[in-house]
Amino acid sequence: MAQNFAWLRRGVVEVFPQPADADSESESLEKRLLTTNQPLRVKYGIDPTGADIHFGHSIPMRKLRAFQDAGHTAVLIIGDFTARIGDPTGKSEVRRQLTEADVAQNAQTYLDQLRPILDFDTPGRLEVRYNSEWLSQLDLGKILELLSTMTVGQMLAKEGFAERYRKENPIFIHEFLYPLMQGFDSVAVEADVELGGTDQKFNIAVGRDLQRHFGQKPQFGMLLPILIGTDGEQKMSKSLGNYIALSEHPAQKYQKLQGIPDHRLEQYFELLTDLPLDKLPENPRDRQTLLAWEVVKQYDGEQAANEAKEAAKSGGKEGAVPEFSLAGLPHPVKLAYILNVSGLCKSTGEGKRKIQEGGVRLDGDRITDVDTTFASSTDLEGKVLQVGKNKFVRLVP
């Protein structure tokens, strides 16, 4: 097992418990790594509540890969069952419950997007598990046992629940089950370490409590930062539009990364690359260029990174993506027709097929409805329309 723990601490906000914690069993994670005679099982769960993964989601995945490279086993849990409830963390109101079909459709795209990050090929280095495997089998007796491990007061101590209770916003009983189910995932896979964002400490601690309850050694919790979005102010989020999706075209990723505000560059280097932070260029423009090239290279290869760099140089920031003018299009206009006249597809029929196959994206969002129609050009201006990985245009007036 690796004994240089620089990889372990890079970009980590907190590891708990620490030896000084008031926990009789506590030991340091470093000590566990040094003394174990078998690979640790390092868990991370992701709920497929959407079809795409952005760079904010990649941070725990990169840490999973670091554990893999150090000889340990990554246990990636696809929360196909918990996604049907939705994590209430950070939500001011109840989340829409997804159907089984919604979750299945989202989950199928996740693993392909993660292949550039995780080691899928080395035997024993990755387990992919779906938590419906065990959560769908829980009978009422087992659910009552889980519920008996926590009080309502403990649940209301969770930040999001406390805020909603104070504002008299509804909290539904099924939402209380989410931390318990995520915690039971740790029991089911016998996790030694669980990764999560800084907003997941409560849920990870529940996993420790449940492991004790079921006679297992409690896992370590490792908390990782929440990535700030491309606006430099708020956390990366699709709803805020300040995100970069892993599935976006290399030129589009490069363009967005080149625009990261100066004061956020070091965080992006620390969390999205393995480059030494003490050897970065002094000039902020050189830093932006290096960041964009390095990250695109990771996901799309060196050739794609070089091509994106040259496109950005020759055409300026906007020139990294070819343009198609919306002028003269009849409105309302169907997306399949735009795919045809823009040259992304050979015919409207091919455009419909590409949409049905899930190969069409608008500003990173997958479009699957063949009847998608736009009332005016203002709904499209400035957005990037993409077919597959290599065909894309920016829609301009």
Side-chain angles (χ1 to χ4, degrees):
M1 298 300 174
Q3 297 190 27
N4 177 1
F5 294 124
W7 63 269
L8 182 68
R9 290 292 178 177
R10 181 170 174 132
V12 173
V13 174
E14 181 183 358
V15 176
F16 67 95
Q18 291 296 323
D21 292 348
D23 185 332
S24 60
E25 318 136 34
S26 74
E27 61 176 332
S28 71
L29 177 55
E30 288 88 346
K31 182 177 178 181
R32 177 82 66 88
L33 289 165
L34 286 171
T35 57
T36 185
N37 58 3
Q38 59 185 11
L40 296 188
R41 296 174 59 75
V42 186
K43 166 200 171 191
Y44 180 68
I46 184 167
D47 286 350
T49 52
D52 299 313
I53 296 173
H54 59 59
F55 280 136
H57 301 131
S58 77
I59 293 169
M61 298 299 176
R62 284 177 48 78
K63 187 61 68 176
L64 268 185
R65 177 56 186 262
F67 273 102
Q68 285 184 307
D69 290 343
H72 302 284
T73 301
V75 184
L76 178 62
I77 296 179
I78 304 295
D80 59 331
F81 194 93
T82 42
R84 293 166 64 186
I85 292 180
D87 187 354
T89 299
K91 301 299 176 184
S92 60
E93 56 187 31
V94 65
R95 294 182 68 153
R96 180 180 74 87
Q97 284 185 260
L98 300 178
T99 67
E100 191 171 350
D102 290 334
V103 174
Q105 183 175 346
N106 293 337
Q108 68 184 1
T109 67
Y110 270 37
L111 295 181
D112 284 342
Q113 294 175 68
L114 294 175
R115 286 189 177 277
I117 307 176
L118 296 176
D119 179 359
F120 280 74
D121 301 319
T122 305
R125 288 291 170 258
L126 178 65
E127 288 183 20
V128 179
R129 306 284 294 274
Y130 292 79
N131 65 11
S132 61
E133 175 189 336
W134 49 86
L135 294 179
S136 65
Q137 303 302 313
L138 295 180
D139 59 21
L140 184 57
K142 184 63 72 174
I143 293 171
L144 289 174
E145 182 180 358
L146 289 178
L147 290 171
S148 71
T149 64
M150 294 194 73
T151 68
V152 171
Q154 286 173 311
M155 280 291 184
L156 290 178
K158 181 176 168 66
E159 183 179 347
F161 286 148
E163 181 70 7
R164 285 163 63 181
Y165 186 75
R166 184 180 68 80
K167 292 182 176 180
E168 299 185 358
N169 289 343
I171 303 171
F172 291 87
I173 298 298
H174 77 274
E175 294 183 275
F176 279 174
L177 276 171
Y178 188 93
L180 291 167
M181 289 195 296
Q182 181 176 321
F184 192 72
D185 288 348
S186 294
V187 175
V189 302
E190 300 184 37
D192 295 300
V193 183
E194 180 171 3
L195 309 181
T198 51
D199 58 349
Q200 291 294 315
K201 186 169 185 177
F202 181 92
N203 292 349
I204 294 173
V206 171
R208 285 175 51 80
D209 292 341
L210 288 178
Q211 285 179 311
R212 281 196 198 91
H213 177 81
F214 287 100
Q216 296 180 10
K217 193 169 188 176
Q219 65 189 7
F220 285 91
M222 178 175 282
L223 303 183
L224 302 162
I226 304 296
L227 186 66
I228 299 301
T230 55
D231 59 354
E233 299 299 330
Q234 301 187 74
K235 75 174 185 177
M236 186 169 284
S237 167
K238 291 195 73 175
S239 61
L240 296 174
N242 63 352
Y243 69 98
I244 309 173
L246 272 61
S247 58
E248 289 182 38
H249 190 276
Q252 197 174 358
K253 288 201 282 274
Y254 190 99
Q255 175 186 317
K256 290 183 179 181
L257 288 162
Q258 249 197 336
I260 299 301
D262 296 351
H263 67 288
R264 294 296 180 190
L265 287 172
E266 186 159 331
Q267 184 196 40
Y268 271 67
F269 274 110
E270 180 179 28
L271 299 177
L272 302 183
T273 80
D274 295 322
L275 297 176
L277 301 181
D278 59 352
K279 296 182 179 178
L280 299 178
E282 292 290 334
N283 186 291
R285 301 292 78 76
D286 292 338
R287 287 191 176 203
Q288 288 174 320
T289 299
L290 176 61
L291 174 69
W293 186 87
E294 179 67 25
V295 174
V296 172
K297 183 187 74 168
Q298 286 180 37
Y299 290 93
D300 302 288
E302 188 168 344
Q303 181 178 344
N306 288 334
E307 289 173 356
K309 184 176 182 178
E310 288 306 311
K313 277 184 182 178
S314 61
K317 189 173 179 182
E318 294 298 324
V321 179
E323 294 181 348
F324 172 75
S325 175
L326 298 165
L329 286 184
H331 289 92
V333 59
K334 289 198 172 185
L335 179 60
Y337 177 76
I338 298 175
L339 291 171
N340 176 24
V341 296
S342 67
L344 294 175
C345 292
K346 294 178 181 178
S347 65
T348 300
E350 182 187 0
K352 289 181 178 179
R353 287 195 300 275
K354 293 295 184 182
I355 293 171
Q356 286 177 321
E357 292 166 1
V360 176
R361 296 175 183 274
L362 184 63
D363 253 15
D365 292 326
R366 190 187 304 274
I367 307 293
T368 56
D369 183 358
V370 295
D371 293 320
T372 297
T373 304
F374 298 94
S376 72
S377 294
T378 56
D379 298 326
L380 296 166
E381 290 174 5
K383 295 184 177 181
V384 173
L385 183 60
Q386 179 178 340
V387 177
K389 289 198 70 175
N390 301 312
K391 294 183 178 180
F392 60 103
V393 294
R394 183 182 301 282
L395 303 173
V396 297

